[in-house]
Amino acid sequence: MMSGATGTNFNIMSNLVQDNTATVAKSVGCTHDDPNSQATLDCLRKAPFERLRDTSVDLARQLRPPFGELAFYPSYDGDYITNRPSVLLRKGLFVKGTLAFALNRGNIQSLTHTGISIIGSWVANDGAWYAPPSISDDASVLATFQTFIKGLSKPSLQRLLSLYPVSDFTRMVRPNETATADYYRAAQMNRDLWFTCPVIDFTWQYTRFGGYSNARLYDMNQTKFGPIFQYMGIPQWRVSHLSDIPYLMNEDVAAGGDNSPGQQELSAAFSGSITAFAHSGDPAISRGGTFKDWPIAYQDQTVEALSKEYPEELSLYVVGGTLGSGPARVSGTADIGSKSKREEALAWEKSFERCSFINSILEEIGV
């Protein structure tokens, strides 16, 4: 299980992590003539673990409040990491699984290639905590992710603003809440930049280049944290990042979480599906309670379809929400015919249009 996709090590070709590490070295008295020297490394190895931990965490939170995300992460070194992840994906340079073989009297009887099973996901308001609730202008919206993504050009920033017009988000503003339409606009941008678009890109490229043909996707649309967020004064977080974890683990949420019978029923079904996936690679196959209609993400795997940089259609499973759990298709240019209410709700997010652009500027994002 991994939080975030392979495409969220932003700025991987920059010196950002190297510079932050040099700052830590200086803070613990390990700066020598060259912060990249063997002498600096030897000094850091001798430093007390607790001091290195506390210094690194304090610096990370100072640079990337409130949680310190992406102050330290694997970055390009020309040796272990030889290029940006998106480039390596498009060259098929990733582990594609294992070879399984059957023996008959010591001789190989059959040989099959087994791909690595993948479930990719995002949560309805994954970007909730990246934006202050009162923001009300374009510059403030862009600032919510420019702390993390350093290389976006002015034309790209303007294009992002145009893809997420504030008028699209006025419907999300609720009476008696401080969160503005620009807050929800920024939250959606952050969700797509951090989660939705990297997940779609990773699973599609992995499917294209021989990794695994039966990848699954889900969109978490329900939370047990609602009463807690209300108590904390942040009701605008709604279905925030990590909302799927209590369902996945089939656990109640303490401290006032919503553990009603309906929530417990959803937990059992979702956890059952994840358990079936862990056992067989298929979240729908089990004698127990699972989501039986969870579709494969990319139905069209013809040579023509897989030759394209971006998919024209995907299928996913929407977990929870007012319309209930169930499968849905999301389309870019392809005509999928009449839409269900669930699909109409997803179409409002414009994920294909927005992610097609975001996944076209990966060099600027640095992934």
Side-chain angles (χ1 to χ4, degrees):
M1 188 192 305
M2 181 173 70
S3 176
T6 58
T8 49
N9 279 352
F10 305 135
N11 320 301
I12 199 168
M13 305 296 284
S14 74
N15 292 328
L16 187 147
V17 174
Q18 177 179 308
D19 293 343
N20 291 345
T21 304
T23 300
V24 170
K26 182 177 180 180
S27 299
V28 299
C30 285
T31 299
H32 297 269
D33 293 338
D34 178 6
N36 294 316
S37 68
Q38 186 64 44
T40 299
L41 181 60
D42 291 341
C43 179
L44 286 169
R45 285 173 171 164
K46 294 176 183 177
F49 168 77
E50 293 78 8
R51 189 178 182 195
L52 287 177
R53 178 198 61 200
D54 294 345
T55 303
S56 300
V57 170
D58 288 346
L59 176 64
R61 288 177 173 170
Q62 174 188 335
L63 295 172
R64 304 289 175 82
F67 303 115
E69 294 159 292
L70 295 187
F72 302 97
Y73 53 83
S75 55
Y76 172 77
D77 61 0
D79 179 19
Y80 186 76
I81 298 178
T82 58
N83 213 321
R84 293 183 290 112
S86 62
V87 174
L88 299 177
L89 273 173
R90 284 160 173 77
K91 291 182 177 180
L93 298 177
F94 50 80
V95 176
K96 298 179 175 67
T98 59
L99 289 175
F101 57 89
L103 293 176
N104 182 16
R105 296 180 180 178
N107 298 315
I108 295 178
Q109 187 175 37
S110 62
L111 188 66
T112 57
H113 180 270
T114 305
I116 298 175
S117 306
I118 291 175
I119 290 181
S121 67
W122 54 88
V123 172
N125 201 16
D126 252 326
W129 59 42
Y130 294 102
S134 60
I135 60 174
S136 58
D137 58 75
D138 289 353
S140 298
V141 168
L142 296 177
T144 61
F145 58 81
Q146 285 181 295
T147 302
F148 301 97
I149 305 175
K150 301 292 188 180
L152 292 178
S153 65
K154 288 184 178 179
S156 293
L157 293 172
Q158 290 303 311
R159 177 62 175 151
L160 282 170
L161 290 172
S162 68
L163 283 170
Y164 296 80
V166 69
S167 57
D168 278 7
F169 300 93
T170 53
R171 60 186 283 183
M172 299 187 70
V173 177
R174 296 186 291 200
N176 305 318
E177 283 187 6
T178 59
T180 64
D182 272 314
Y183 162 78
Y184 290 109
R185 181 190 190 195
Q188 192 79 3
M189 279 191 192
N190 277 278
R191 189 202 77 161
D192 291 348
L193 285 162
W194 284 82
F195 303 100
T196 307
C197 302
V199 165
I200 291 173
D201 190 57
F202 174 77
T203 53
W204 174 242
Q205 304 306 333
Y206 196 76
T207 300
R208 286 181 72 202
F209 293 106
Y212 183 61
S213 60
N214 295 322
R216 301 306 212 280
L217 297 171
Y218 74 82
D219 181 345
M220 191 71 205
N221 198 33
Q222 193 159 315
T223 187
K224 296 183 179 183
F225 298 130
I228 299 173
F229 292 160
Q230 195 75 36
Y231 176 79
M232 293 172 62
I234 48 172
Q236 72 275 3
W237 280 22
R238 302 191 189 185
V239 186
S240 75
H241 188 54
L242 304 179
S243 284
D244 49 344
I245 302 303
Y247 300 96
L248 187 149
M249 303 303 294
N250 196 15
E251 291 185 342
D252 288 345
V253 172
D258 180 358
N259 302 307
S260 60
Q263 295 279 30
Q264 293 177 344
E265 182 179 345
L266 182 62
S267 282
F270 184 58
S271 180
S273 292
I274 299 302
T275 301
F277 167 78
H279 177 70
S280 67
D282 188 335
I285 296 179
S286 174
R287 286 177 293 180
T290 62
F291 298 134
K292 303 298 185 185
D293 49 354
W294 192 330
I296 293 171
Y298 304 107
Q299 306 279 327
D300 184 358
Q301 297 187 23
T302 61
V303 172
E304 180 182 359
L306 294 176
S307 69
K308 297 176 180 177
E309 183 81 1
Y310 309 108
E312 290 190 341
E313 180 179 320
L314 63 81
S315 298
L316 72 160
Y317 202 85
V318 179
V319 181
T322 57
L323 297 174
S325 301
R329 290 183 296 166
V330 184
S331 176
T333 58
D335 181 9
I336 64 171
S338 60
K339 294 184 177 70
S340 67
K341 289 185 179 297
R342 192 178 296 113
E343 288 166 345
E344 289 175 355
L346 285 170
W348 169 82
E349 296 183 341
K350 303 178 182 177
S351 295
F352 262 87
E353 180 184 6
R354 291 165 175 169
C355 286
S356 292
F357 173 69
I358 288 172
N359 289 334
S360 75
I361 56 170
L362 296 179
E363 185 173 1
E364 291 184 29
I365 295 173
V367 295

